[in-house]
């Protein structure tokens, strides 16, 4: 057994890094850091761009109707076959965004969302690569939860580039929209230091499950994408990959027409 482990370590150094990471970011009694939070240096909780091409106000999400939660949980699947021709409605996109990152409550200065986040710090940002959504030009967009709008960042169909970044997974070519989630590390590092790198992925998981369920409720199909070349994905969004880095994606489309 130990021999196998050694062999594994020799052939593939990654598991060793994983084990070290898990170990060195453990919480244990007597090893909790003991630092005090510096409230004067708390990072900004929201990102916005200085000069986006446009700002698009999103329509009210329809949160009043839909199948019941238990049915959705039963039905949810990763769906990778999309009907490519019909765009999805802007109202549906609005509902998807609300389900993933919508603001649902305010306590003092703090805003809370549909998905939980470690420490209420919300390090995850949402970008969209739009291929076919009614009323939106093709391009890259950044979602702002507080004002519930989209910043239009770049024109064009980025589905080919994204597919290549995602190890040639061509479901992105047909998807009407691809969600790209990044994390702004400083937001969480301010409190959690190295443990941040556990929490950003947990946050993203909650967000993605909300997307899956909302897509299912709207009669759309979603599929999470964890396999991508990090540098290529970051390049598409002009992220530095250190302070802000892509951590997860999901394709969303109309389910393929039954022949
Ligand atoms: C963290 C994570 C990463 C994933 N990455 C991919 C991916 O890169 N490509 C893909 O086609 N599916 C991906 N999936 C979807 C899984 O393959 C899928 O959830 C799994 O096979 C179970 O099927 P179900 O979602 O239909 O229940 C990912 C799922 C998760 C949770």
């Amino acid at each position: 057994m130990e021999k196998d482990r050694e062999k594994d370590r020799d052939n593939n150094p990654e598991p060793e890094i994983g084990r070290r990471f898990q170990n060195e970011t453990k919480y244990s009694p007597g090893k909790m850091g003991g630092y005090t939070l510096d409230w004067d240096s708390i990072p900004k909780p929201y990102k916005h761009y200085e000069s986006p091409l446009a700002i698009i106000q999103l329509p009210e999400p329809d949160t009043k109707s839909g199948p019941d939660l238990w049915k959705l949980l039963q039905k949810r699947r990763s769906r990778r076959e999309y009907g490519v021709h019909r765009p999805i409605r802007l109202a549906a996109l609005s509902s998807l965004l609300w389900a993933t990152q919508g603001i649902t409550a305010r306590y003092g200065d703090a805003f809370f969302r549909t998905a939980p986040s470690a420490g209420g710090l919300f390090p995850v940002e949402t970008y969209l690569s739009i291929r076919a959504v009614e009323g939106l030009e093709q391009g890259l967009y950044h979602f702002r939860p507080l004002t519930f709008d989209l910043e239009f960042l770049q024109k064009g169909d980025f589905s080919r580039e994204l597919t290549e970044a995602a190890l040639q997974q061509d479901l992105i070519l047909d998807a009407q929209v691809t969600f790209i989630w990044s994390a702004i590390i400083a937001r969480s590092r301010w409190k959690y230091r190295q443990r941040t790198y556990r929490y950003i992925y947990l946050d993203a998981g909650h967000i993605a499950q909300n997307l899956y369920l909302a897509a299912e409720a709207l009669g759309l199909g979603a599929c999470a994408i964890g396999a991508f070349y990090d540098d290529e994905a970051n390049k598409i969004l002009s992220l530095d990959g250190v302070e802000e880095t892509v951590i997860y994606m999901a394709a969303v489309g109309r389910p393929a027409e039954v022949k």
Side-chain angles (χ1 to χ4, degrees):
M1 189 71 169
E2 187 52 33
K3 254 208 159 108
D4 285 350
R5 264 200 222 121
E6 269 170 29
K7 216 166 113 202
D8 180 38
R9 274 202 288 265
D10 290 345
N11 292 339
N12 178 5
E14 283 167 77
E16 184 58 21
I17 290 170
R19 274 196 288 271
R20 269 186 46 217
F21 171 76
Q22 194 67 12
N23 196 38
E24 290 176 25
T25 58
K26 266 185 196 162
Y27 276 168
S28 44
K31 189 200 152 220
M32 296 292 289
Y35 53 86
T36 47
L37 293 177
D38 177 6
W39 289 95
D40 292 334
S41 71
I42 189 166
K44 285 200 183 72
Y46 300 102
K47 174 173 181 172
H48 72 271
Y49 283 79
E50 283 311 319
S51 38
L53 299 175
I55 292 176
I56 295 108
Q57 195 61 48
L58 288 159
E60 262 309 274
D62 175 9
T63 56
K64 305 277 182 300
S65 57
D68 88 27
L69 176 65
W70 307 108
K71 290 208 178 93
L72 291 172
L73 287 167
Q74 175 68 47
K75 256 183 75 190
R76 186 212 61 81
R77 277 281 75 78
S78 291
R79 304 191 193 278
R80 301 178 178 82
E81 308 275 329
Y82 310 120
V84 294
H85 298 300
R86 280 172 53 219
I88 64 172
R89 289 176 305 116
L90 186 57
L93 180 66
S94 188
S95 299
L96 294 175
L97 286 162
W98 184 84
T100 56
Q101 295 259 47
I103 289 178
T104 48
R106 178 178 186 171
Y107 301 105
D109 288 341
F111 292 90
F112 289 81
R113 305 191 190 179
T114 48
S117 170
L121 295 170
F122 303 100
V124 175
E125 292 287 323
T126 303
Y127 298 85
L128 303 173
S129 164
I130 300 286
R131 193 186 65 74
V133 174
E134 274 171 15
L136 289 182
E137 264 191 78
Q138 287 191 325
L140 296 175
Y141 293 76
H142 171 245
F143 172 59
R144 298 193 300 182
L146 200 55
T147 41
F148 204 64
D149 57 23
L150 294 174
E151 293 175 307
F152 188 17
L153 304 181
Q154 226 180 312
K155 286 183 195 195
D157 180 359
F158 287 83
S159 53
R160 170 76 50 196
E161 268 180 71
L162 270 174
T163 300
E164 274 160 28
L167 282 58
Q168 302 296 341
Q169 298 189 72
D170 56 12
L171 74 164
I172 293 174
L173 286 181
D174 292 346
Q176 272 77 1
V177 49
T178 301
F179 281 64
I180 310 163
W181 291 294
S182 75
I184 296 185
I185 304 298
R187 281 190 200 146
S188 179
R189 191 176 50 209
W190 169 78
K191 180 168 184 185
Y192 293 115
R193 312 293 166 98
Q194 289 304 300
R195 205 167 164 92
T196 291
Y197 295 89
R198 293 181 181 218
Y199 291 165
I200 55 174
Y201 292 102
L202 297 174
D203 274 26
H206 296 298
I207 290 169
Q209 174 72 353
N210 281 10
L211 179 73
Y212 266 113
L213 295 174
E216 209 68 54
L218 292 162
L220 301 171
C223 182
I225 299 174
F228 53 84
Y229 300 123
D230 302 69
D231 292 346
E232 275 69 1
N234 285 320
K235 211 155 90 193
I236 293 169
L237 293 172
S238 306
L239 304 181
D240 69 3
V242 179
E243 287 304 316
E244 182 174 358
T245 189
V246 172
I247 54 173
Y248 208 12
M249 300 190 203
V252 179
R254 288 186 176 282
E257 288 89 15
V258 183
K259 287 182 195 129

